[in-house]
Amino acid sequence: MSAYYDLYETPDVQNTGEKQPLHARIVPSGTYSQKEFIERVSRYQHFPQNMVDGVLGAVIDELGSLLARGYIVELGELGHLSVSLKCTQKVMTKKEIRSESICFDNVHLRTSKNFKLKVRREMRLERVPKSGRTVSKTEIPVEQRLQMLQEFLKKNGGITRIEYSRLTGVARLKAVDDLNTFIQEGKLRKRGAGRNVFYVWKQEE
């Protein structure tokens, strides 16, 4: 699956009046909710959903507690988290500082070199098919959608309707129509039931 990007005008913040170079920016493929992320981890990493949900909740609770106590927390290859502070009013000398003048500002995640390299190695960039339009508004031909689906299944084994919609940029009903058509053509097989439905490549079972 490719990540799509487009080119955008760079603001002339210095007011030079000169034409600024374009800059590239990712066109978001969508957003994974916590529930969808847990379902994905459970399906592809073969852990029970309730276990993943419980561990994730515990990690978030402990992170909040440790960061609130001034710790820097390392999370393996992901990187480390830390907290920054800010002054609520101008302070010119240390003698002027009062506890009420200092407060929480933000939580920062500094990713590790290994994690950045992992993302870089796996990322495949493609220009948005038509400049100025997002992927969701540009329908990819069905033959290309099928090819994208095959590549995704070779790597991940299965796919949900939501993932297929994000992968190809088609709307929910169109995604359902595509998947049902592929099943009728003998290319896909449906697995699971209800909210746990996903699709596998029939020829590789």
Side-chain angles (χ1 to χ4, degrees), residues 32-94:
Y32 265 89
S33 68
Q34 178 174 313
K35 181 180 179 183
E36 291 167 343
F37 180 72
I38 288 171
E39 289 175 350
R40 180 181 176 87
V41 173
S42 174
R43 182 164 64 253
Y44 297 135
Q45 304 300 325
H46 309 294
F47 291 112
Q49 283 190 30
N50 60 347
M51 178 185 293
V52 178
D53 192 15
V55 170
L56 181 59
V59 168
I60 292 172
D61 287 345
E62 290 303 314
L63 274 175
S65 177
L66 290 171
L67 291 172
R69 291 159 56 193
Y71 285 94
I72 295 172
V73 182
E74 295 184 352
L75 292 178
E77 287 194 358
L78 178 61
H80 67 264
L81 292 96
S82 61
V83 168
S84 63
L85 305 176
K86 65 180 179 180
C87 296
T88 57
Q89 49 190 295
K90 283 188 177 181
V91 177
M92 305 306 293
T93 66
K94 291 185 178 181

Side-chain angles (χ1 to χ4, degrees):
M1 176 181 177
S2 297
Y4 289 90
Y5 71 92
D6 206 348
L7 298 171
Y8 300 85
E9 293 183 4
T10 302
D12 184 8
V13 294
Q14 301 296 329
N15 295 316
T16 62
E18 298 178 358
K19 185 177 178 61
Q20 302 298 306
L22 299 177
H23 66 276
R25 196 163 69 217
I26 286 288
V27 177
S29 300
T31 302
Y32 265 89
S33 68
Q34 178 174 313
K35 181 180 179 183
E36 291 167 343
F37 180 72
I38 288 171
E39 289 175 350
R40 180 181 176 87
V41 173
S42 174
R43 182 164 64 253
Y44 297 135
Q45 304 300 325
H46 309 294
F47 291 112
Q49 283 190 30
N50 60 347
M51 178 185 293
V52 178
D53 192 15
V55 170
L56 181 59
V59 168
I60 292 172
D61 287 345
E62 290 303 314
L63 274 175
S65 177
L66 290 171
L67 291 172
R69 291 159 56 193
Y71 285 94
I72 295 172
V73 182
E74 295 184 352
L75 292 178
E77 287 194 358
L78 178 61
H80 67 264
L81 292 96
S82 61
V83 168
S84 63
L85 305 176
K86 65 180 179 180
C87 296
T88 57
Q89 49 190 295
K90 283 188 177 181
V91 177
M92 305 306 293
T93 66
K94 291 185 178 181
K95 292 181 179 180
E96 298 178 55
I97 296 176
R98 293 179 174 82
S99 59
E100 59 268 21
S101 301
I102 310 299
C103 67
F104 168 85
D105 181 30
N106 208 347
V107 173
H108 302 277
L109 169 62
R110 184 172 181 179
T111 52
S112 70
K113 290 182 179 179
N114 286 340
F115 187 76
K116 292 175 183 176
L117 285 173
K118 174 181 172 60
V119 175
R120 181 182 299 174
R121 283 195 300 264
E122 295 188 13
M123 178 174 275
R124 292 171 50 201
L125 288 170
E126 286 187 38
R127 177 84 181 274
V128 172
K130 290 187 179 180
S131 181
R133 300 177 65 189
T134 62
V135 179
S136 61
K137 294 181 180 178
T138 305
E139 186 166 306
I140 300 170
V142 65
E143 296 82 7
Q144 188 176 346
R145 297 201 298 270
L146 179 59
Q147 183 179 0
M148 294 167 71
L149 174 62
Q150 285 180 282
E151 292 176 0
F152 183 93
L153 292 176
K154 284 180 182 178
K155 183 176 180 180
N156 300 285
I159 192 169
T160 65
R161 193 274 306 162
I162 293 174
E163 288 172 336
Y164 178 79
S165 182
R166 288 180 177 142
L167 175 70
T168 59
V170 299
R172 182 180 68 83
L173 293 178
K174 183 64 176 175
V176 172
D177 288 342
D178 275 7
L179 293 168
N180 287 336
T181 298
F182 297 151
I183 289 174
Q184 292 171 4
E185 293 175 351
K187 296 181 175 70
L188 290 184
R189 188 182 295 276
K190 185 188 262 189
R191 285 283 177 261
R195 295 181 178 179
N196 296 318
V197 167
F198 64 100
Y199 303 84
V200 298
W201 191 246
K202 186 176 180 181
Q203 298 175 9
E204 294 185 359
E205 284 192 299

